């Protein structure tokens, strides 16, 4: 059983948003093209309170129930069976989808019989990285689709370094035509 995890494809991480990932919107058509190849599609949302220590590191973004926290309008979000909300506390970053507080992602996937998890979305160097690392640690056969992720790149090369770290941790890297 193979599932797709769509990480944080939200307005604030796309061009024009509060914490825009360069070319963040470019992942949307690639992700849309993958959705029908999976038995199960789930997503995470960065879902912050108005005040959190997270905003000492980052501009205010993805505040709960704001437009910036909505999915990118072109994402075929009707295909998403469950949304996992993370970063909801005010004392930690909550980068990983496995830190969601509305539902437990690990238990949800295991209850559905998922053993293989494909991870796509934003941003390669933060939430995709943290979610994929947690997925391998929890025993999922984990794959990141390289052309379906994009990096913040606070420091040049952060995205490429994150992908190399993931590869060394046991994550498989593929291109979308090979999914
Ligand atoms: C993210 C920075 C701050 C992410 C979330 O979704 O990768 N990055 N908050
Ligand atoms: Zn955030």
């Amino acid at each position: 059983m193979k599932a797709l995890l769509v990480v944080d494809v939200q307005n604030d991480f796309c061009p024009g948003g509060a914490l825009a990932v360069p070319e963040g919107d470019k992942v949307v058509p690639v992700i849309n093209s993958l959705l029908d190849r999976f038995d199960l599609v789930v997503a995470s949302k960065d879902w912050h309170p108005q005040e959190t220590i997270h905003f000492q590191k980052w501009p205010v973004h993805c505040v709960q129930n704001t437009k910036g926290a909505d999915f990118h309008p072109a994402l075929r979000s009707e295909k998403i069976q469950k949304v996992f909300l993370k970063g909801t506390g005010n004392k930690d970053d909550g980068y990983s989808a496995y830190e969601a507080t509305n539902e437990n992602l690990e238990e949800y996937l295991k209850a559905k019989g998922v053993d293989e998890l494909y991870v796509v979305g934003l941003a390669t160097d933060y939430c995709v990285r943290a979610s994929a690392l947690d997925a391998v640690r929890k025993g999922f056969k984990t794959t990141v689709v390289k052309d379906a992720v994009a990096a913040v790149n606070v420091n040049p090369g952060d995205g490429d370094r994150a992908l190399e770290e993931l590869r060394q941790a046991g994550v498989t890297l593929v291109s979308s035509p090979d999914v």
Side-chain angles (χ1 to χ4, degrees):
M1 174 84 175
K2 207 168 81 166
L4 180 70
L5 171 63
V6 180
V7 175
D8 300 7
V9 180
Q10 292 166 272
N11 289 322
D12 271 343
F13 294 125
C14 293
L19 177 42
V21 173
E23 310 202 313
D25 55 336
K26 296 260 177 77
V27 304
V28 175
V30 182
I31 294 171
N32 283 342
S33 76
L34 295 175
L35 296 173
D36 294 329
R37 296 183 219 175
F38 289 85
D39 308 310
L40 173 69
V41 179
V42 298
S44 64
K45 274 187 173 180
D46 214 31
W47 195 250
H48 298 305
Q50 278 177 340
E51 288 182 25
T52 159
I53 57 145
H54 187 62
F55 294 156
Q56 292 170 10
K57 301 178 200 167
W58 298 105
V60 174
H61 63 278
C62 296
V63 172
Q64 296 165 8
N65 301 304
T66 62
K67 184 119 198 290
D70 286 349
F71 288 125
H72 185 287
L75 181 69
R76 290 164 63 209
S77 56
E78 71 279 3
K79 297 279 170 183
I80 296 167
Q81 290 183 43
K82 186 101 208 162
V83 179
F84 294 83
L85 305 174
K86 60 180 184 56
T88 60
N90 48 27
K91 292 191 171 58
D92 58 21
D93 293 305
Y95 289 133
S96 170
Y98 287 90
E99 294 176 67
T101 56
N102 63 316
E103 279 269 344
N104 183 307
L105 177 60
E106 180 179 13
E107 285 172 12
Y108 180 91
L109 294 175
K110 289 191 170 158
K112 299 259 183 202
V114 172
D115 54 347
E116 270 192 72
L117 188 68
Y118 283 67
V119 184
V120 296
L122 306 171
T124 315
D125 33 2
Y126 293 93
C127 292
V128 169
R129 172 185 174 275
S131 300
L133 285 174
D134 273 350
V136 265
R137 285 185 199 121
K138 292 175 191 294
F140 294 91
K141 185 175 180 299
T142 308
T143 300
V144 167
V145 184
K146 285 182 290 182
D147 51 327
V149 297
V152 183
N153 282 326
V154 171
N155 308 296
D158 280 353
D160 289 341
R161 276 189 292 274
L163 289 177
E164 177 55 20
E165 182 188 1
L166 290 172
R167 201 184 59 74
Q168 293 200 8
V171 175
T172 303
L173 304 179
V174 298
S175 298
S176 56
D178 299 324
V179 173

